[in-house]
Amino acid sequence: MKPTLPLTARAALLSFILFGATVLVWQLAIESSTGTAPNMDPELAALLGPQAKGQSAFPAPMAIFDELVRHVTDPFYDAGPNDKGIGIQLAYSIGRVALGFGAAALVAIPFGFVIGMSPLFYKALDPFFQLLKPISPLAWMPLALYTIKDSNSSAIFVIFICSLWPMLINTAFGVGAVRREYLNVAKTLELGPFRTAWKVILPAAAPTIVTGMRISIGIAWLVIVAAEMLVGGTGIGYFVWNEWNNLSITNVIAAILFIGFIGMVLDQLMGRVQAAVAYAD
Amino acid sequence: MRNPLISVENLAKRFPEPSGKGELTVFDDIWFTIEEGEFVCIIGHSGCGKSTILNALAGLDEASSGVIIIDGQAISGPSLDRAVIFQGHALMPWMSALENIRLAVTSRFPEWSKAQVQDQCEKYLRMVHLDGAHDKKPAQLSGGMKQRVGIARALAIEPQILLMDEPFSALDALTRGSLQDELMGICKSTKQTTFMITHDVDEALLLADKILLMTNGPNARVAEIVVNTLPENRSRDSLHKHEQYYPLRNHLIEFLVTRSRELASEAEGALDGRQTKVVRLDETKPETVTNSEPAPLRAVNE
């Protein structure tokens, strides 16, 4: 049989089948794990819930779906420090990422520009970048807590640090790699340093710079979850840890799905920017 | 005697040897002049430093010694008076054809209104027959069209001198031919002073008033200056019918094939840059010109 559907439609169909199969296997695995109830103290049994009957505490797909619906329909409720809607928690995390990432962009892009323009700076600073780049951003956390003395600002600082390197290195590289002939055109047109930077170097290096920004925002979203687990209080990372302490695996899984979704949206947004500054050579 | 528009005096380019010992001389003792309205081509094999001479004229590269005097002033860097058409079109790929030209026009005439700039850009796009391609990005244009935009960008700033580095070498023969015709028309009608590098003997005979022949590098020199004695109103179709065509063409080919090599291997001092031989094939005796003695104020900065 020849395939008659377009590729996108066939891919969508396959995605749907894979999703359905995964959910089905998951559901069957949960249903089959009905063991015999061990003889135990009724109070302990009450505490353990389904596990006392030999069942898994791992939720079935439908339970997670119900939980997702509950979160989506009421995302912004606030019932005290340990019980806030997932919308509020995600907003805290996105806010921290936006602040840390924004501050990093404000530092990395102009600074990267200068480094890229000067082969001397590029060579002199490269060893520092190579040393600082592989450090897990969370390793900076104690230092940040000690110096800033504020957990929220420390989380933002950690995001700043982890967003900084990809943008800085990509900007410096992109600016340094602008083709000689474009610079020669700028020279023969007597453009002057500022117009050359604005009209020639920035648009020429923009695709590389935005690629750095896309990498940065991806890393920032990975790191914010871990940072919020450490600093606590608010944010999706704290939410995950809090639900683990509550032994609510359903909520942990729901949160994981939300984290993935927001990460995807952030990446797609940067992808749009990337497409806007791209040019065919 | 009227001073020429461009006077290249004792130009030389040397690089330190990669080994660190001594210097490699690319070319030395280069003297030539270009009159206002003249079209001059330079021919020579790769490595003789043609591009370096052109870049020095553009102000993009500095010679190791010697001066270039334009309009009585030694040049020191690029200027909007000298437009360059690059070998690769060197258009900004993120700008449309019109924006590429606009960048040049606004740099040249910063005091112009938006409408004046727009008129100028459109006028020159029309001149190179690209009326319909205003908003196209370079990637959407063919090789010939890109180079047309490059030509329009260079001419739109109304430069005193046009410098071209093998502008048509990347194009197919048909496109090259039509662009040569257009360029010749434009340069003739505007009396544009032009300096051009080419590998193409026919291109030089079609376009140039005089042709500089360079010996092989390293240590390249201008061996002779061939005056193009073909009639002013020559065209690509009838070029080969003229009685001077084959003698001139053979002379140039012979130079490229054998003499450029032989002259390069001759003892130093065999060629005197100040006394470059001028060849006119319609006369029996070749004459020599003595480049004017540099005046004390024009001391060669060695």
Side-chain angles (χ1 to χ4, degrees):
Chain A
M1 191 185 84
K2 272 188 193 166
T4 47
L5 284 168
L7 183 65
T8 323
R10 279 181 285 144
L13 189 67
L14 185 58
S15 299
F16 189 75
I17 292 170
L18 284 172
F19 176 74
T22 312
V23 169
L24 190 69
V25 170
W26 183 352
Q27 182 73 42
L28 291 175
I30 301 290
E31 278 176 15
S32 65
S33 68
T34 44
T36 47
N39 201 7
M40 65 165 74
D41 180 25
E43 273 182 43
L44 180 62
L47 205 61
L48 285 174
Q51 286 174 94
K53 291 184 239 109
Q55 286 171 358
S56 169
F58 206 85
M62 270 322 283
I64 295 187
F65 181 75
D66 290 342
E67 196 65 28
L68 286 176
V69 169
R70 187 181 69 77
H71 283 305
V72 170
T73 48
D74 187 15
F76 297 114
Y77 73 91
D78 188 351
N82 275 345
D83 192 8
K84 293 189 204 304
I86 202 146
I88 293 178
Q89 305 289 28
L90 284 168
Y92 272 112
S93 299
I94 293 169
R96 286 185 185 118
V97 165
L99 281 172
F101 175 83
L106 285 179
V107 172
I109 294 172
F111 196 48
F113 223 90
V114 173
I115 297 165
M117 301 277 278
S118 156
L120 175 70
F121 271 116
Y122 198 101
K123 264 198 138 70
L125 291 172
D126 195 52
F128 296 103
F129 297 155
Q130 297 305 332
L131 181 76
L132 293 169
K133 190 177 62 166
I135 298 171
S136 165
L138 292 166
W140 293 92
M141 185 65 95
L143 211 56
L145 287 168
Y146 177 75
T147 43
I148 307 174
K149 296 184 173 62
D150 175 70
S151 64
N152 185 40
S153 307
S154 297
I156 294 168
F157 174 78
V158 166
I159 296 304
F160 169 82
I161 281 289
C162 76
S163 312
L164 191 67
W165 310 118
M167 281 194 274
L168 192 61
I169 289 166
N170 265 41
T171 305
F173 175 78
V175 168
V178 171
R179 278 167 57 184
R180 178 100 254 141
E181 52 179 8
Y182 302 153
L183 298 175
N184 278 346
V185 170
K187 275 192 208 160
T188 57
L189 295 179
E190 295 189 61
L191 283 190
F194 285 104
R195 280 192 82 203
T196 303
W198 185 250
K199 289 272 185 185
V200 180
I201 298 171
L202 188 65
T208 321
I209 297 173
V210 176
T211 303
M213 293 173 81
R214 194 174 181 178
I215 297 168
S216 279
I217 206 149
I219 294 175
W221 189 245
L222 294 180
V223 167
I224 191 65
V225 175
E228 284 169 345
M229 284 180 178
L230 281 174
V231 297
T234 50
I236 193 69
Y238 168 73
F239 178 85
V240 171
W241 200 249
N242 198 31
E243 294 305 325
W244 163 237
N245 285 336
N246 293 342
L247 271 181
S248 170
I249 304 296
T250 318
N251 265 323
V252 170
I253 294 172
I256 284 172
L257 292 175
F258 278 113
I259 292 168
F261 177 73
I262 298 294
M264 186 180 77
V265 169
L266 290 176
D267 188 64
Q268 292 296 313
L269 284 176
M270 289 314 292
R272 291 278 175 86
V273 180
Q274 214 171 15
V277 298
Y279 56 83
D281 214 352
Chain B
M1 190 185 124
R2 200 164 59 90
N3 278 331
L5 178 61
I6 304 173
S7 178
V8 175
E9 303 186 354
N10 198 23
L11 211 64
K13 183 76 182 178
R14 300 181 194 93
F15 288 111
E17 290 268 16
S19 59
K21 279 180 256 161
E23 281 184 319
L24 178 80
T25 304
V26 184
F27 55 79
D28 201 355
D29 200 19
I30 303 283
W31 300 69
F32 64 87
T33 59
I34 300 174
E35 303 290 337
E36 196 164 349
E38 214 172 15
F39 198 124
V40 174
C41 274
I42 188 162
I43 290 189
H45 287 283
S46 308
C48 72
K50 305 181 298 280
S51 288
T52 313
I53 294 177
L54 185 128
N55 283 340
L57 278 164
L60 293 171
D61 201 346
E62 253 181 81
S64 310
S65 66
V67 278
I68 296 170
I69 294 159
I70 294 177
D71 236 359
Q73 294 264 318
I75 62 160
S76 61
S79 156
L80 281 159
D81 289 333
R82 280 164 273 140
V84 186
I85 297 176
F86 296 90
Q87 188 171 10
H89 47 84
L91 300 175
M92 311 290 170
W94 55 90
M95 291 182 185
S96 69
L98 191 86
E99 285 167 339
N100 266 291
I101 299 172
R102 191 189 289 142
L103 179 68
V105 173
T106 50
S107 307
R108 174 67 162 186
F109 308 106
E111 71 286 355
W112 278 13
S113 70
K114 268 194 170 165
Q116 273 176 301
V117 170
Q118 186 73 14
D119 284 350
Q120 180 83 347
C121 297
E122 286 177 4
K123 178 181 153 194
Y124 281 89
L125 271 174
R126 245 189 333 271
M127 187 184 270
V128 295
H129 305 291
L130 277 179
D131 320 47
H134 289 192
D135 300 323
K136 294 233 170 77
K137 296 275 168 71
Q140 297 165 281
L141 300 172
S142 69
M145 288 161 98
K146 278 186 251 197
Q147 199 51 284
R148 277 167 205 264
V149 180
I151 293 170
R153 176 174 66 183
L155 294 172
I157 63 171
E158 298 174 7
Q160 193 180 19
I161 297 157
L162 182 63
L163 303 168
M164 293 189 279
D165 188 353
E166 297 186 46
F168 309 133
S169 58
L171 305 176
D172 64 272
L174 281 173
T175 315
R176 196 187 310 148
S178 61
L179 273 176
Q180 284 166 353
D181 283 345
E182 280 174 40
L183 185 72
M184 187 166 71
I186 294 167
C187 288
K188 285 259 155 66
S189 65
T190 57
K191 288 258 159 229
Q192 178 69 56
T193 312
T194 311
F195 179 79
M196 171 165 144
I197 298 175
T198 181
H199 271 129
D200 183 340
V201 169
D202 285 323
E203 184 169 274
L205 285 174
L206 178 68
L207 298 169
D209 299 315
K210 63 186 192 194
I211 301 159
L212 308 182
L213 303 181
M214 280 189 86
T215 62
N216 289 2
N219 243 322
R221 303 280 198 281
V222 175
E224 57 188 53
I225 299 166
V226 177
V227 178
N228 191 348
T229 44
L230 293 171
E232 274 281 302
N233 61 350
R234 57 188 175 263
S235 73
R236 211 154 41 89
D237 321 322
S238 60
L239 198 63
H240 59 281
K241 290 180 187 145
H242 196 270
E243 56 174 21
Q244 286 280 308
Y245 173 72
Y246 280 106
L248 273 168
R249 191 171 193 278
N250 291 343
H251 184 81
L252 298 181
I253 300 272
E254 193 208 355
F255 179 87
L256 283 176
V257 173
T258 52
R259 289 179 54 224
S260 62
R261 196 179 59 238
E262 288 166 8
L263 284 166
S265 59
E266 268 174 35
E268 242 183 81
L271 293 166
D272 181 358
R274 306 271 296 275
Q275 307 272 321
T276 308
K277 193 166 67 167
V278 176
V279 178
R280 282 187 72 102
L281 292 186
D282 59 348
E283 287 170 5
T284 41
K285 265 189 287 176
E287 54 169 322
T288 55
V289 283
T290 310
N291 284 291
S292 57
E293 282 287 328
L297 274 175
R298 283 192 193 167
V300 173
N301 55 347
E302 280 183 297

